[in-house]
Amino acid sequence: MGRLLAIDYGTKRTGIAVTDELQIIASGLTTVDTSSLVAFLKDYISKETVDKIIIGLPKQMDNAASESEVYIQKFLIKLEKEIPEIPVERVDERFTSKMAFQTMIDSGLSKKQRRNKALVDEISATLILQSYMAAQ
């Protein structure tokens, strides 16, 4: 069994989370510059077995696609071209950034630590992955 890998895509930074090999526990992996995301994924997949990539689906409150969906669609085309062997699924990511920030507060992180946007992206990716796993 391989890992599930989740992506909280951003135009500048992208948060990444993965499961263990048994797909039981979701953990934040890292945050990468979006410009090097495909290269990072190819490298990671060459070292680890990944069964599926889960990508956040940003929606507005009225269920309409978020503005960032345009960029995600372009990334999905590139991902399909570069890594066609791994299936991709989408998960509603509404409120993940707010939930990530609250998680940081609940964890006792200082204000300075909570300003770390890369950490927010990584936690958001973990929440997307947990949401996907809970729905399965």
Side-chain angles (χ1 to χ4, degrees), residues 104 109-117:
M104 294 170 83
L109 295 179
S110 68
K111 284 186 179 184
K112 183 178 181 182
Q113 291 170 315
R114 293 193 305 257
R115 282 188 223 117
N116 180 350
K117 292 183 180 181

Side-chain angles (χ1 to χ4, degrees), residues 2-6 17-20 23 44 49-54 129 132-133 136:
R3 298 174 188 271
L4 300 175
L5 184 144
V18 294
T19 63
D20 60 303
Q23 299 180 6
Y44 185 82
T49 303
V50 175
D51 286 348
K52 193 174 291 182
I53 297 173
I54 316 303
L129 187 51
Y132 174 81
M133 292 168 65
Q136 299 306 303

Side-chain angles (χ1 to χ4, degrees), residues 59-66 94:
K59 293 184 178 183
Q60 296 177 13
M61 292 302 295
D62 64 0
N63 242 11
S66 172
R94 278 181 282 198

Side-chain angles (χ1 to χ4, degrees), residues 32-46:
V32 298
D33 287 332
T34 299
S35 60
S36 61
L37 178 58
V38 172
F40 174 86
L41 292 173
K42 284 178 143 182
D43 181 59
Y44 185 82
I45 290 165
S46 73

Side-chain angles (χ1 to χ4, degrees), residues 1-15:
M1 199 176 217
R3 298 174 188 271
L4 300 175
L5 184 144
I7 295 174
D8 179 38
Y9 187 89
T11 55
K12 295 179 184 175
R13 287 177 319 278
T14 296

